[in-house]
């Protein structure tokens, strides 16, 4: 791997991105992505150095790392004590420790390191961690809802001696863990059906037996609880103008109590993180600039530690109540319009941050937001980046932009270069299908956004639509209902069959979200909304690119294959398969190829001389590094492609 800042033969700097900030003790860790690959860096008072990772199991790559400063497994300079390996972009992986052969299957696990965990085999207490995952004999296709468990592991002992922690009778989804300032306690968060439950998991220092204390549940994901050394902190409506941060009195155990922290007028807390001494707050200041405040536990009074100029941003911030510092990536805009970023560290007890590493950072293009009216009068926000080139309408479905982070960076680069206008729509595509009234409220939001963009850009600028996951439902519906609006469509890891989804992968656990096709009235609603079952228009369809993942455990690849087979002869179809999962992480070769295919699909069809809605009667097939999808593979679909 080349040295940092290494120049290409062309003389330009190698594109770099930073993500996955993590603090342990007084050190900060972060992933640095470049076209040459990803590496883990560690920054502390002595400087910045690369961290050596244990050798990955065959066919897997490091997806997440939980370093440790001391204890078994922590080599010189804080080598990692626990690494999550898995498929590039996969939702599942193997959790292992350096120097031990044991592995346990885990689903995007949260890891919280504890300094002392009593041994399950009678040995002395030592470091360990709490994690979310599955029993060691679980399978990759096991469901992500009722299979999740929380377990305690003692470093250096086999995973067979883990102590499972029962959270209650009802299954939980989206379970995450956060450290607290108490070395024997972990905050467990789980979100299901729109309600976030908080539990305090505490280990008895002598026996290591876990006890779980239920905390007040919250109906909004914008509510956050942090247990610091001296008090609880609670934030509500974070990221909105109504945001409030409460500091509870020392010793108060009811997180619903507390007094509001007084921020300057026009300053709204967006999120906050705890340290041993207090909290670090990311806030939005009047005028749209961002700032970081620090509040010490002994005096709940906000102190400004960093503020950006207009156009600056703090895209990643992190801290932990069991750590003695905060870490953030700060991106500033230079007078000439270019950007520069650096990672900064704020140690407890200091008043000013310290720069750890300067970075050539491609900051996001300036955005504007427009609103259009959906079919039921709903004000639908559409965020725009760029002002030239073809227009790409993007919708993520149930996941955030982080699910497409490599693609987002590539699209932002094109927007900055004036080669693309990127439009992001925030739709209601996850409204349960059987609750959707006639007209497809939610599922047709993307169509209304496309009409809005076409009216304002005119017929001369090509318009493309891209849907990821459930976002592919809205994207495909928009094209099938009004194909003349679009010059092309892209479906990434799509859901297309809203009738047969319970038989595809883990789709049987989606019926509460989407509807149950075994019930006649709900089946009728699902059929009317499903791209795979919508009537095809009489005329030709614009070219389509469909990408599937061989390791995708959420949207089964058969969703994409079946739609590609149905469109054959009606559109120029490119069906591609890549060895990735439902989301993309790090800077992997397969992910870069998939992103390059998307940008080439758009730019090639937007070139002068390309006719709008030109359609050829063929199906193109791309091969992946692990197997290929071809027409024969579609024909071998054991459940058959719907008519």
């Amino acid at each position: 791997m080349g040295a940092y800042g290494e120049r290409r033969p062309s003389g330009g700097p190698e594109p770099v991105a930073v993500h996955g900030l993590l603090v342990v003790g007084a050190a900060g860790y972060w992933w640095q992505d470049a076209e040459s690959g990803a590496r883990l860096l560690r920054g502390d008072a002595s400087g910045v150095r690369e961290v050596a990772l244990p050798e990955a199991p065959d066919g897997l790559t490091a997806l997440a790392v939980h370093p440790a400063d001391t204890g078994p497994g922590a080599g010189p300079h804080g080598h990692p004590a626990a690494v999550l390996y898995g498929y590039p972009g996969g939702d599942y992986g193997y959790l292992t420790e350096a120097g031990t052969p044991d592995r346990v299957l885990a689903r995007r696990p949260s890891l919280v390191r504890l300094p002392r965990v009593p041994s399950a085999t009678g040995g002395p207490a030592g470091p360990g961690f709490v994690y979310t995952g599955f029993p060691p004999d679980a399978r990759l296709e096991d469901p992500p809802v009722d299979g999740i468990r929380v377990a305690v592991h003692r470093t250096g002992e086999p995973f067979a001696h883990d102590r499972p922690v029962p959270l209650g009778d009802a299954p939980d989804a989206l379970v995450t863990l956060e450290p607290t300032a108490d070395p024997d306690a972990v905050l467990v968060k789980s979100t299901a059906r729109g309600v976030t439950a908080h539990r305090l998991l505490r280990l008895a220092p002598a026996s290591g037996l876990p006890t779980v204390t239920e905390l007040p549940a919250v109906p909004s994901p914008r509510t956050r609880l942090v247990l610091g050394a001296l008090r609880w902190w609670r934030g509500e409506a974070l990221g909105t103008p109504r945001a409030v941060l409460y500091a509870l009195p020392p010793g108060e155990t009811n997180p619903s109590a507390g007094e509001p922290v007084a921020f300057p007028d026009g300053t709204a807390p967006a999120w906050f993180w705890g340290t041993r001494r207090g909290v670090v707050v990311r806030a939005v200041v009047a005028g749209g600039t961002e700032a970081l405040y620090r509040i010490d536990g002994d005096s709940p009074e906000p102190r400004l530690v960093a503020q950006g100029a207009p156009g600056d941003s703090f895209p990643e911030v992190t801290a932990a109540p069991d750590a003695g510092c905060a870490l953030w990536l700060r991106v500033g805009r230079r007078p000439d319009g270019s950007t520069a970023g650096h990672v900064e560290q704020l140690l407890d007890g200091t008043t000013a941050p310290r720069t750890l590493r300067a970075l050539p950072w491609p900051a996001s293009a300036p955005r504007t937001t427009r609103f259009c009216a959906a079919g039921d009068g709903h004000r639908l926000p559409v965020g725009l980046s760029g002002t030239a080139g073809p227009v790409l309408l993007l919708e993520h479905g149930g996941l955030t932009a982080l699910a497409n982070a490599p693609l987002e960076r590539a699209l932002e680069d094109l927007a900055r270069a004036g080669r693309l206008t990127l439009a992001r729509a925030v739709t209601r595509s996850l409204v349960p299908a059987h609750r959707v009234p006639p007209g497809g409220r939610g599922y047709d939001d993307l169509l209304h956004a496309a009409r809005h963009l076409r009216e304002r850009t005119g017929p001369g600028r090509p318009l493309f639509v891209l849907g990821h996951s459930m976002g592919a439902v809205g994207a495909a519906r928009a094209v099938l209902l009004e194909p003349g609006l679009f010059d092309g469509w892209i479906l990434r890891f799509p859901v297309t069959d809203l009738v047969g989804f319970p038989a595809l992968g883990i789709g049987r656990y989606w019926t509460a979200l989407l509807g149950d096709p075994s019930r006649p009235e709900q089946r009728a609603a699902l059929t009317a909304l499903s791209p795979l079952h919508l009537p095809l228009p009489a005329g030709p369809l614009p070219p389509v690119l469909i990408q599937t993942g061989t390791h995708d455990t959420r949207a089964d690849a058969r969703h994409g294959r079946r739609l590609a087979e149905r469109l054959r002869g009606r559109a120029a179809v490119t069906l591609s398969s890549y060895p990735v999962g439902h989301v993309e992480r790090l800077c992997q070769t397969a992910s870069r190829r998939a992103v390059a295919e998307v940008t080439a699909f758009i730019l090639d069809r937007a070139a002068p001389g390309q006719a709008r809605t030109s359609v050829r009667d063929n199906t193109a097939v791309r091969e992946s590094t692990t197997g290929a999808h071809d027409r024969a593979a579609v024909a071998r679909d054991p459940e058959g492609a719907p008519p």
Side-chain angles (χ1 to χ4, degrees), residues 173-312:
L174 301 177
V175 179
T176 59
L177 306 172
E178 293 188 6
T180 70
D182 185 338
D184 300 314
V186 173
L187 188 63
V188 182
K189 299 173 60 177
S190 60
T191 300
R193 294 174 290 278
V195 176
T196 300
H198 293 81
R199 303 174 179 93
L200 194 62
L201 189 163
R202 191 182 302 277
L203 298 182
S207 64
L209 296 177
T211 60
V212 177
T213 303
E214 297 282 344
L215 301 175
V218 297
S220 169
R222 296 184 181 274
T223 298
R224 177 166 171 78
L225 295 177
V226 168
L227 177 58
L230 300 176
R231 65 178 81 232
W232 279 95
W233 303 84
R234 185 180 92 253
E236 293 185 352
L238 296 170
T240 73
R242 308 185 309 278
V244 182
L245 177 63
Y246 295 92
L248 277 64
E252 174 63 60
T253 58
N254 183 3
S256 62
E259 295 294 329
V261 176
F263 285 90
D265 291 342
T267 301
W271 206 249
F272 67 96
W273 299 261
T275 69
R276 288 194 179 114
R277 291 281 298 272
V279 294
V280 173
V281 183
R282 178 179 180 179
V284 178
V285 185
T289 60
E290 297 183 17
L292 293 179
Y293 285 85
R294 172 179 177 168
I295 308 174
D296 290 334
D298 54 355
S299 175
E301 194 174 302
R303 305 174 186 175
L304 182 66
V305 293
Q307 182 166 359
D312 292 357

Side-chain angles (χ1 to χ4, degrees), residues 333-339:
R333 191 173 297 279
R334 297 189 180 104
D336 62 359
S338 61
T339 58

Side-chain angles (χ1 to χ4, degrees), residues 34 55 70 108 216 231 366 395 424 457 509 511 578 582:
E55 184 176 353
T70 59
R108 303 172 72 186
R231 65 178 81 232
E395 214 265 311
R424 297 174 175 88
T457 59
Y509 297 95
T511 53
Y578 291 92
H582 198 60

Side-chain angles (χ1 to χ4, degrees), residues 432-494:
H434 60 282
R435 299 180 186 172
V436 175
R441 178 176 65 86
Y443 289 87
D444 284 343
D445 281 354
L446 211 62
L447 178 58
H448 291 289
R451 292 169 178 164
H452 175 83
L453 291 171
R454 176 59 74 195
E455 290 173 1
R456 280 150 183 78
T457 59
R461 294 180 64 186
L463 175 62
F464 298 85
V465 62
L466 186 153
H468 177 278
S469 188
M470 280 299 297
V473 175
R477 280 180 55 80
V479 175
L480 294 176
L481 292 176
E482 294 191 30
L485 275 177
F486 303 96
D487 296 86
W489 42 317
I490 303 160
L491 308 180
R492 305 194 81 210
F493 319 115

Side-chain angles (χ1 to χ4, degrees), residues 31 47 55 100 173 196 246 285 311 325 348 366 413 426 430 450 568 597 635:
W31 285 105
E55 184 176 353
T100 64
T196 300
Y246 295 92
V285 185
C325 68
D348 277 351
D413 284 340
V426 181
L430 291 182
R568 183 180 170 191
E597 184 180 38

